Amino acid sequence: MAPGKLNQDPHKVREHQDMNLETAIGRAVREFRKTRGMTVADLSEATGLSVGMLSKIENGVTSSSLTTLQALSTALSVPITAFFRRFEERREVVHVKAGEAVEMDRAGTRAGHQYNLLGHIGANNSGVVVEPYLITLNEESDIFPTFQHEGIEMLYILEGEVGYRHGDQSFHLRPGDSLFFDADAPHGPDELLRLPIRYLSVISYPQGDR
């Protein structure tokens, strides 16, 4: 597979951290202004604040007084509390220690496939739900190449060898191999080549699709 240009830089960090109150307010002001199709000059005229002051506010380099926030609130037609939401939002994190993943019942369970959920974050600002599983197949497992569900799935093989079908293709997967696919097509193990087999399965789909 030829290398391509990534749309996102995995090492990039935000210029300012939203844990800083001034930065959170500034980002919110900029977003509300752009959503309403206003330039900085338009907002300056509507609030009586200078373009330079508004630039400082949007870049999080100055603290805004309540009077200033009230003027911005009126001009942008949002409550003052809207400027603080980004600062107050809780960012979820899940830590699952070795051996503590929750065993789940899924469609493949009846075929002897063991599913351990490695973490779950529900409603969030990304609009995407991600389900990471550790899947184990052993002597009691059956082939089951007919899974179908919404979203995108990625497999990463940790142990063993498996023939894995997606649509009308079958792939011989070994440790270190990965498979990334549209999960709406029928898919699943169609040949258990070397047991035990363990692999990571990461499923992502838009919130509200299930």
Side-chain angles (χ1 to χ4, degrees):
M1 180 178 178
K5 185 177 179 181
L6 294 174
N7 291 326
Q8 293 183 333
D9 179 353
H11 303 293
K12 184 177 180 180
V13 296
R14 291 182 177 176
E15 293 181 5
H16 301 283
Q17 293 298 317
D18 288 344
M19 287 303 294
N20 178 281
L21 179 58
E22 287 78 15
T23 299
I25 291 173
R27 289 173 64 88
V29 170
R30 182 184 291 113
E31 289 175 5
F32 287 131
R33 173 177 63 77
K34 289 184 175 181
T35 297
R36 285 152 182 75
M38 300 175 71
T39 65
V40 175
D42 294 334
L43 189 55
S44 174
E45 183 177 350
T47 59
L49 300 169
S50 70
V51 170
M53 175 58 72
L54 287 171
S55 179
K56 289 181 179 180
I57 292 172
E58 290 194 356
N59 287 301
V61 296
T62 187
S63 297
S64 302
S65 66
L66 287 176
T67 301
T68 297
L69 292 176
Q70 180 65 59
L72 290 167
S73 169
T74 301
L76 296 170
S77 301
V78 296
I80 287 182
T81 54
F83 299 131
F84 300 94
R85 287 174 187 161
R86 185 183 295 275
F87 181 74
E88 295 174 343
E89 285 171 353
R90 183 176 179 181
R91 306 298 183 184
E92 299 290 344
V93 61
V94 177
H95 176 206
V96 178
K97 293 185 177 181
E100 294 185 1
V102 178
E103 189 166 345
M104 303 288 292
D105 286 330
R106 285 180 57 86
T109 304
R110 65 175 179 265
H113 299 188
Q114 179 182 329
Y115 287 80
N116 290 98
L117 183 64
L118 300 179
H120 178 74
I121 293 177
N124 62 83
N125 292 330
S126 72
V128 176
V129 174
V130 178
E131 296 179 357
Y133 294 95
L134 175 62
I135 299 176
T136 303
L137 311 181
N138 54 39
E139 291 80 1
E140 299 176 358
S141 303
D142 296 326
I143 60 172
F144 197 85
T146 55
F147 289 109
Q148 279 184 278
H149 51 83
E150 301 89 348
I152 300 295
E153 185 167 357
M154 192 277 287
L155 307 182
Y156 184 83
I157 307 302
L158 300 171
E159 181 181 1
E161 294 183 32
V162 62
Y164 200 93
R165 179 166 293 278
H166 179 266
D168 59 0
Q169 300 181 78
S170 186
F171 301 87
H172 184 172
L173 303 179
R174 301 175 175 88
D177 289 354
S178 63
L179 197 63
F180 186 64
F181 54 87
D182 181 345
D184 192 49
H187 60 275
D190 65 353
E191 194 173 4
L192 307 183
L193 299 170
R194 182 163 62 85
L195 297 168
I197 298 164
R198 289 193 313 133
Y199 58 92
L200 294 175
S201 166
V202 182
I203 302 168
S204 63
Y205 53 91
Q207 291 184 38
D209 272 16
R210 292 191 179 184

